[in-house]
Amino acid sequence: MQIFKKKHQVIGSYLVITFGILCYTFAYSALLLPSKIISGGVTGVSSIIYFLSGEHIPVGICNLFINTILFFVGLKFLGTKFGVNTIYGIVLSSLFFIMWQQGLHVENLFNVEQFGPFMCCVVGGALCGFGLGLAFSVGGNTGGTDIIALVLSKYYNVTPGKVILYCDLVIIACTFFVSHKVENVVFGYIVMVLCSYTIDLVLDGAKQSYQIMIFSQKADEISDAIVKEIGRGVTIVDAKGGYTHKDQKVLIVIAHKTDKQNIMHVVGSLDPDAFFSVAKAQGVYGRNFEKLKL
């Protein structure tokens, strides 16, 4: 039974990765490339080569070639740090680019001139971020400049995030040689920001948790109701009011966003005079929450 469950979870993860990369490559091929708006990463480098070659070298082929080189560089300097998900993401993204561009010609699906570059930039950047966010949420990735960042951060005192940022800034700046328009470079930076924001939104949205502190004279009743009706653990802390100088109990509950409204409803129904605060938790690790990755 446990083996079946594990296989079921693995298959589900790869389906999510596949759908995420599908969305990412579609948005890039259908909206960004026809508008000559290029973002960062290896996809950005591949796009620059694609346009400079007179659109003779497909983005998918170039993406696969560069990522393969980076993958072996990563193996040499970092060892077997990359798993099947990296290989799967690299190959799948390259194949999807070829399918969308050379196979289905999705650039003809939308009239990008009618949409305008800004609309393509906003919609394309958001869709790219949504797709990548889905893939990242289950451990998928598409290789790229992440490998460069890991190699440099191993030998130099620099964080991977800064390396990726600097690489993207340089790559997008080089897109001026493709379109010879400063506004396209600006649109590229907008796509980068939108994509990053949407990725964070997808990742944080799936794991968002709250810390709820409840001050009530009916602490025991509220605690029992939260445990029995909602299935969340409660920590009871003995406290003393600084103004009233009376002893009271404080309840601390860590809950997913889907449980927040139910907990507030329980508190309000049992003690309308209860005082409580709700704060977003930056990260929650442990049982029934996110697993700590060392």
Side-chain angles (χ1 to χ4, degrees), residues 253-279:
V253 186
I254 304 295
H256 289 301
K257 66 175 184 178
T258 52
D259 295 324
K260 185 185 71 168
Q261 287 299 122
N262 293 333
I263 292 174
M264 295 173 66
H265 177 74
V266 167
V267 175
S269 61
L270 292 177
D271 185 5
D273 297 324
F275 175 81
F276 60 95
S277 64
V278 180

PDB file of all heavy atoms in Angstrom, residues 253-279:
ATOM      1  N   VAL A 253      -2.036  28.623  17.766  1.00  0.00           N
ATOM      2  CA  VAL A 253      -2.387  27.643  16.738  1.00  0.00           C
ATOM      3  C   VAL A 253      -1.629  27.969  15.455  1.00  0.00           C
ATOM      4  O   VAL A 253      -1.618  29.116  15.011  1.00  0.00           O
ATOM      5  CB  VAL A 253      -3.905  27.656  16.437  1.00  0.00           C
ATOM      6  CG1 VAL A 253      -4.264  26.543  15.470  1.00  0.00           C
ATOM      7  CG2 VAL A 253      -4.705  27.541  17.716  1.00  0.00           C
ATOM      8  N   ILE A 254      -0.973  26.969  14.874  1.00  0.00           N
ATOM      9  CA  ILE A 254      -0.355  27.098  13.561  1.00  0.00           C
ATOM     10  C   ILE A 254      -1.239  26.339  12.582  1.00  0.00           C
ATOM     11  O   ILE A 254      -1.468  25.141  12.744  1.00  0.00           O
ATOM     12  CB  ILE A 254       1.072  26.514  13.530  1.00  0.00           C
ATOM     13  CG1 ILE A 254       1.943  27.172  14.613  1.00  0.00           C
ATOM     14  CG2 ILE A 254       1.682  26.692  12.154  1.00  0.00           C
ATOM     15  CD1 ILE A 254       2.180  28.644  14.400  1.00  0.00           C
ATOM     16  N   ALA A 255      -1.745  27.030  11.574  1.00  0.00           N
ATOM     17  CA  ALA A 255      -2.709  26.408  10.670  1.00  0.00           C
ATOM     18  C   ALA A 255      -2.494  26.833   9.231  1.00  0.00           C
ATOM     19  O   ALA A 255      -1.951  27.914   8.964  1.00  0.00           O
ATOM     20  CB  ALA A 255      -4.133  26.778  11.092  1.00  0.00           C
ATOM     21  N   HIS A 256      -2.910  25.964   8.300  1.00  0.00           N
ATOM     22  CA  HIS A 256      -2.880  26.310   6.883  1.00  0.00           C
ATOM     23  C   HIS A 256      -3.946  27.364   6.605  1.00  0.00           C
ATOM     24  O   HIS A 256      -4.890  27.551   7.386  1.00  0.00           O
ATOM     25  CB  HIS A 256      -3.155  25.072   6.021  1.00  0.00           C
ATOM     26  CG  HIS A 256      -2.035  24.086   6.027  1.00  0.00           C
ATOM     27  ND1 HIS A 256      -0.772  24.397   5.610  1.00  0.00           N
ATOM     28  CD2 HIS A 256      -1.995  22.767   6.408  1.00  0.00           C
ATOM     29  CE1 HIS A 256       0.004  23.328   5.720  1.00  0.00           C
ATOM     30  NE2 HIS A 256      -0.708  22.329   6.199  1.00  0.00           N
ATOM     31  N   LYS A 257      -3.808  28.042   5.477  1.00  0.00           N
ATOM     32  CA  LYS A 257      -4.755  29.111   5.141  1.00  0.00           C
ATOM     33  C   LYS A 257      -6.180  28.578   4.971  1.00  0.00           C
ATOM     34  O   LYS A 257      -7.147  29.303   5.198  1.00  0.00           O
ATOM     35  CB  LYS A 257      -4.313  29.845   3.881  1.00  0.00           C
ATOM     36  CG  LYS A 257      -4.336  29.011   2.609  1.00  0.00           C
ATOM     37  CD  LYS A 257      -3.999  29.862   1.404  1.00  0.00           C
ATOM     38  CE  LYS A 257      -4.118  29.070   0.113  1.00  0.00           C
ATOM     39  NZ  LYS A 257      -3.844  29.901  -1.071  1.00  0.00           N
ATOM     40  N   THR A 258      -6.290  27.291   4.589  1.00  0.00           N
ATOM     41  CA  THR A 258      -7.627  26.712   4.420  1.00  0.00           C
ATOM     42  C   THR A 258      -8.348  26.520   5.752  1.00  0.00           C
ATOM     43  O   THR A 258      -9.571  26.387   5.785  1.00  0.00           O
ATOM     44  CB  THR A 258      -7.520  25.342   3.713  1.00  0.00           C
ATOM     45  OG1 THR A 258      -6.575  24.520   4.416  1.00  0.00           O
ATOM     46  CG2 THR A 258      -7.064  25.512   2.276  1.00  0.00           C
ATOM     47  N   ASP A 259      -7.582  26.489   6.857  1.00  0.00           N
ATOM     48  CA  ASP A 259      -8.174  26.297   8.181  1.00  0.00           C
ATOM     49  C   ASP A 259      -8.399  27.615   8.919  1.00  0.00           C
ATOM     50  O   ASP A 259      -9.072  27.629   9.955  1.00  0.00           O
ATOM     51  CB  ASP A 259      -7.278  25.401   9.049  1.00  0.00           C
ATOM     52  CG  ASP A 259      -7.170  23.991   8.504  1.00  0.00           C
ATOM     53  OD1 ASP A 259      -8.173  23.505   7.974  1.00  0.00           O
ATOM     54  OD2 ASP A 259      -6.088  23.390   8.607  1.00  0.00           O
ATOM     55  N   LYS A 260      -7.850  28.703   8.403  1.00  0.00           N
ATOM     56  CA  LYS A 260      -7.891  29.967   9.137  1.00  0.00           C
ATOM     57  C   LYS A 260      -9.316  30.433   9.409  1.00  0.00           C
ATOM     58  O   LYS A 260      -9.676  30.761  10.552  1.00  0.00           O
ATOM     59  CB  LYS A 260      -7.133  31.048   8.360  1.00  0.00           C
ATOM     60  CG  LYS A 260      -7.033  32.368   9.115  1.00  0.00           C
ATOM     61  CD  LYS A 260      -6.391  33.449   8.260  1.00  0.00           C
ATOM     62  CE  LYS A 260      -7.311  33.898   7.148  1.00  0.00           C
ATOM     63  NZ  LYS A 260      -6.862  35.131   6.472  1.00  0.00           N
ATOM     64  N   GLN A 261     -10.149  30.465   8.391  1.00  0.00           N
ATOM     65  CA  GLN A 261     -11.517  30.954   8.555  1.00  0.00           C
ATOM     66  C   GLN A 261     -12.319  30.070   9.511  1.00  0.00           C
ATOM     67  O   GLN A 261     -13.123  30.565  10.311  1.00  0.00           O
ATOM     68  CB  GLN A 261     -12.223  31.028   7.207  1.00  0.00           C
ATOM     69  CG  GLN A 261     -11.745  32.176   6.315  1.00  0.00           C
ATOM     70  CD  GLN A 261     -11.985  33.525   6.948  1.00  0.00           C
ATOM     71  OE1 GLN A 261     -11.038  34.295   7.151  1.00  0.00           O
ATOM     72  NE2 GLN A 261     -13.227  33.819   7.283  1.00  0.00           N
ATOM     73  N   ASN A 262     -12.095  28.755   9.441  1.00  0.00           N
ATOM     74  CA  ASN A 262     -12.811  27.843  10.339  1.00  0.00           C
ATOM     75  C   ASN A 262     -12.432  28.078  11.791  1.00  0.00           C
ATOM     76  O   ASN A 262     -13.289  28.036  12.682  1.00  0.00           O
ATOM     77  CB  ASN A 262     -12.509  26.387   9.951  1.00  0.00           C
ATOM     78  CG  ASN A 262     -13.081  26.021   8.598  1.00  0.00           C
ATOM     79  OD1 ASN A 262     -14.072  26.593   8.160  1.00  0.00           O
ATOM     80  ND2 ASN A 262     -12.449  25.081   7.917  1.00  0.00           N
ATOM     81  N   ILE A 263     -11.157  28.328  12.036  1.00  0.00           N
ATOM     82  CA  ILE A 263     -10.706  28.601  13.405  1.00  0.00           C
ATOM     83  C   ILE A 263     -11.311  29.906  13.910  1.00  0.00           C
ATOM     84  O   ILE A 263     -11.779  29.993  15.058  1.00  0.00           O
ATOM     85  CB  ILE A 263      -9.169  28.652  13.456  1.00  0.00           C
ATOM     86  CG1 ILE A 263      -8.595  27.258  13.194  1.00  0.00           C
ATOM     87  CG2 ILE A 263      -8.677  29.178  14.809  1.00  0.00           C
ATOM     88  CD1 ILE A 263      -7.084  27.214  13.075  1.00  0.00           C
ATOM     89  N   MET A 264     -11.309  30.916  13.061  1.00  0.00           N
ATOM     90  CA  MET A 264     -11.895  32.197  13.465  1.00  0.00           C
ATOM     91  C   MET A 264     -13.388  32.044  13.744  1.00  0.00           C
ATOM     92  O   MET A 264     -13.925  32.681  14.667  1.00  0.00           O
ATOM     93  CB  MET A 264     -11.648  33.239  12.374  1.00  0.00           C
ATOM     94  CG  MET A 264     -10.174  33.582  12.179  1.00  0.00           C
ATOM     95  SD  MET A 264      -9.851  34.652  10.757  1.00  0.00           S
ATOM     96  CE  MET A 264     -10.655  36.157  11.266  1.00  0.00           C
ATOM     97  N   HIS A 265     -14.054  31.201  12.973  1.00  0.00           N
ATOM     98  CA  HIS A 265     -15.478  30.956  13.200  1.00  0.00           C
ATOM     99  C   HIS A 265     -15.707  30.262  14.544  1.00  0.00           C
ATOM    100  O   HIS A 265     -16.643  30.611  15.284  1.00  0.00           O
ATOM    101  CB  HIS A 265     -16.042  30.100  12.068  1.00  0.00           C
ATOM    102  CG  HIS A 265     -17.488  29.731  12.254  1.00  0.00           C
ATOM    103  ND1 HIS A 265     -18.511  30.640  12.079  1.00  0.00           N
ATOM    104  CD2 HIS A 265     -18.079  28.557  12.622  1.00  0.00           C
ATOM    105  CE1 HIS A 265     -19.675  30.039  12.322  1.00  0.00           C
ATOM    106  NE2 HIS A 265     -19.438  28.770  12.649  1.00  0.00           N
ATOM    107  N   VAL A 266     -14.860  29.294  14.864  1.00  0.00           N
ATOM    108  CA  VAL A 266     -14.975  28.588  16.148  1.00  0.00           C
ATOM    109  C   VAL A 266     -14.783  29.551  17.311  1.00  0.00           C
ATOM    110  O   VAL A 266     -15.561  29.558  18.278  1.00  0.00           O
ATOM    111  CB  VAL A 266     -13.940  27.442  16.227  1.00  0.00           C
ATOM    112  CG1 VAL A 266     -13.818  26.918  17.659  1.00  0.00           C
ATOM    113  CG2 VAL A 266     -14.321  26.319  15.287  1.00  0.00           C
ATOM    114  N   VAL A 267     -13.762  30.397  17.221  1.00  0.00           N
ATOM    115  CA  VAL A 267     -13.481  31.363  18.300  1.00  0.00           C
ATOM    116  C   VAL A 267     -14.644  32.331  18.460  1.00  0.00           C
ATOM    117  O   VAL A 267     -15.118  32.590  19.574  1.00  0.00           O
ATOM    118  CB  VAL A 267     -12.178  32.140  18.012  1.00  0.00           C
ATOM    119  CG1 VAL A 267     -11.961  33.222  19.067  1.00  0.00           C
ATOM    120  CG2 VAL A 267     -10.989  31.193  17.988  1.00  0.00           C
ATOM    121  N   GLY A 268     -15.140  32.853  17.339  1.00  0.00           N
ATOM    122  CA  GLY A 268     -16.231  33.825  17.402  1.00  0.00           C
ATOM    123  C   GLY A 268     -17.525  33.243  17.938  1.00  0.00           C
ATOM    124  O   GLY A 268     -18.282  33.935  18.642  1.00  0.00           O
ATOM    125  N   SER A 269     -17.793  31.979  17.637  1.00  0.00           N
ATOM    126  CA  SER A 269     -19.040  31.360  18.091  1.00  0.00           C
ATOM    127  C   SER A 269     -18.997  30.987  19.567  1.00  0.00           C
ATOM    128  O   SER A 269     -20.011  31.059  20.264  1.00  0.00           O
ATOM    129  CB  SER A 269     -19.346  30.112  17.252  1.00  0.00           C
ATOM    130  OG  SER A 269     -18.308  29.149  17.389  1.00  0.00           O
ATOM    131  N   LEU A 270     -17.820  30.615  20.081  1.00  0.00           N
ATOM    132  CA  LEU A 270     -17.707  30.213  21.489  1.00  0.00           C
ATOM    133  C   LEU A 270     -17.465  31.394  22.420  1.00  0.00           C
ATOM    134  O   LEU A 270     -17.911  31.380  23.571  1.00  0.00           O
ATOM    135  CB  LEU A 270     -16.579  29.187  21.659  1.00  0.00           C
ATOM    136  CG  LEU A 270     -16.815  27.813  21.011  1.00  0.00           C
ATOM    137  CD1 LEU A 270     -15.600  26.922  21.194  1.00  0.00           C
ATOM    138  CD2 LEU A 270     -18.051  27.144  21.636  1.00  0.00           C
ATOM    139  N   ASP A 271     -16.758  32.394  21.928  1.00  0.00           N
ATOM    140  CA  ASP A 271     -16.476  33.560  22.766  1.00  0.00           C
ATOM    141  C   ASP A 271     -16.388  34.809  21.892  1.00  0.00           C
ATOM    142  O   ASP A 271     -15.314  35.153  21.390  1.00  0.00           O
ATOM    143  CB  ASP A 271     -15.173  33.359  23.538  1.00  0.00           C
ATOM    144  CG  ASP A 271     -14.908  34.496  24.524  1.00  0.00           C
ATOM    145  OD1 ASP A 271     -15.785  35.390  24.660  1.00  0.00           O
ATOM    146  OD2 ASP A 271     -13.843  34.484  25.164  1.00  0.00           O
ATOM    147  N   PRO A 272     -17.523  35.505  21.715  1.00  0.00           N
ATOM    148  CA  PRO A 272     -17.537  36.710  20.877  1.00  0.00           C
ATOM    149  C   PRO A 272     -16.619  37.814  21.413  1.00  0.00           C
ATOM    150  O   PRO A 272     -16.223  38.704  20.658  1.00  0.00           O
ATOM    151  CB  PRO A 272     -19.007  37.161  20.927  1.00  0.00           C
ATOM    152  CG  PRO A 272     -19.769  35.924  21.294  1.00  0.00           C
ATOM    153  CD  PRO A 272     -18.873  35.162  22.211  1.00  0.00           C
ATOM    154  N   ASP A 273     -16.278  37.754  22.707  1.00  0.00           N
ATOM    155  CA  ASP A 273     -15.428  38.780  23.312  1.00  0.00           C
ATOM    156  C   ASP A 273     -13.949  38.408  23.284  1.00  0.00           C
ATOM    157  O   ASP A 273     -13.114  39.123  23.862  1.00  0.00           O
ATOM    158  CB  ASP A 273     -15.858  39.028  24.760  1.00  0.00           C
ATOM    159  CG  ASP A 273     -17.278  39.579  24.847  1.00  0.00           C
ATOM    160  OD1 ASP A 273     -17.652  40.374  23.959  1.00  0.00           O
ATOM    161  OD2 ASP A 273     -18.012  39.197  25.790  1.00  0.00           O
ATOM    162  N   ALA A 274     -13.625  37.282  22.655  1.00  0.00           N
ATOM    163  CA  ALA A 274     -12.226  36.840  22.627  1.00  0.00           C
ATOM    164  C   ALA A 274     -11.372  37.826  21.835  1.00  0.00           C
ATOM    165  O   ALA A 274     -11.834  38.462  20.881  1.00  0.00           O
ATOM    166  CB  ALA A 274     -12.137  35.448  22.013  1.00  0.00           C
ATOM    167  N   PHE A 275     -10.122  37.926  22.248  1.00  0.00           N
ATOM    168  CA  PHE A 275      -9.153  38.766  21.554  1.00  0.00           C
ATOM    169  C   PHE A 275      -8.141  37.834  20.890  1.00  0.00           C
ATOM    170  O   PHE A 275      -7.588  36.942  21.539  1.00  0.00           O
ATOM    171  CB  PHE A 275      -8.444  39.689  22.547  1.00  0.00           C
ATOM    172  CG  PHE A 275      -7.341  40.507  21.950  1.00  0.00           C
ATOM    173  CD1 PHE A 275      -7.614  41.676  21.263  1.00  0.00           C
ATOM    174  CD2 PHE A 275      -6.021  40.098  22.055  1.00  0.00           C
ATOM    175  CE1 PHE A 275      -6.602  42.428  20.714  1.00  0.00           C
ATOM    176  CE2 PHE A 275      -4.999  40.842  21.495  1.00  0.00           C
ATOM    177  CZ  PHE A 275      -5.282  42.013  20.829  1.00  0.00           C
ATOM    178  N   PHE A 276      -7.932  37.999  19.595  1.00  0.00           N
ATOM    179  CA  PHE A 276      -6.952  37.130  18.932  1.00  0.00           C
ATOM    180  C   PHE A 276      -6.275  37.864  17.791  1.00  0.00           C
ATOM    181  O   PHE A 276      -6.811  38.834  17.234  1.00  0.00           O
ATOM    182  CB  PHE A 276      -7.598  35.830  18.436  1.00  0.00           C
ATOM    183  CG  PHE A 276      -8.708  36.013  17.442  1.00  0.00           C
ATOM    184  CD1 PHE A 276      -8.464  35.945  16.093  1.00  0.00           C
ATOM    185  CD2 PHE A 276     -10.015  36.238  17.871  1.00  0.00           C
ATOM    186  CE1 PHE A 276      -9.486  36.094  15.172  1.00  0.00           C
ATOM    187  CE2 PHE A 276     -11.041  36.376  16.964  1.00  0.00           C
ATOM    188  CZ  PHE A 276     -10.781  36.318  15.608  1.00  0.00           C
ATOM    189  N   SER A 277      -5.093  37.403  17.465  1.00  0.00           N
ATOM    190  CA  SER A 277      -4.331  37.993  16.373  1.00  0.00           C
ATOM    191  C   SER A 277      -3.994  36.915  15.356  1.00  0.00           C
ATOM    192  O   SER A 277      -3.808  35.745  15.701  1.00  0.00           O
ATOM    193  CB  SER A 277      -3.037  38.643  16.898  1.00  0.00           C
ATOM    194  OG  SER A 277      -2.177  37.660  17.449  1.00  0.00           O
ATOM    195  N   VAL A 278      -3.901  37.327  14.083  1.00  0.00           N
ATOM    196  CA  VAL A 278      -3.582  36.400  12.994  1.00  0.00           C
ATOM    197  C   VAL A 278      -2.399  36.970  12.227  1.00  0.00           C
ATOM    198  O   VAL A 278      -2.441  38.112  11.762  1.00  0.00           O
ATOM    199  CB  VAL A 278      -4.787  36.222  12.044  1.00  0.00           C
ATOM    200  CG1 VAL A 278      -4.425  35.257  10.918  1.00  0.00           C
ATOM    201  CG2 VAL A 278      -6.010  35.724  12.801  1.00  0.00           C
ATOM    202  N   ALA A 279      -1.336  36.194  12.110  1.00  0.00           N
ATOM    203  CA  ALA A 279      -0.135  36.650  11.414  1.00  0.00           C
ATOM    204  C   ALA A 279       0.341  35.583  10.437  1.00  0.00           C
ATOM    205  O   ALA A 279       0.292  34.391  10.740  1.00  0.00           O
ATOM    206  CB  ALA A 279       0.969  36.971  12.419  1.00  0.00           C
TER     207      ALA A 279
END
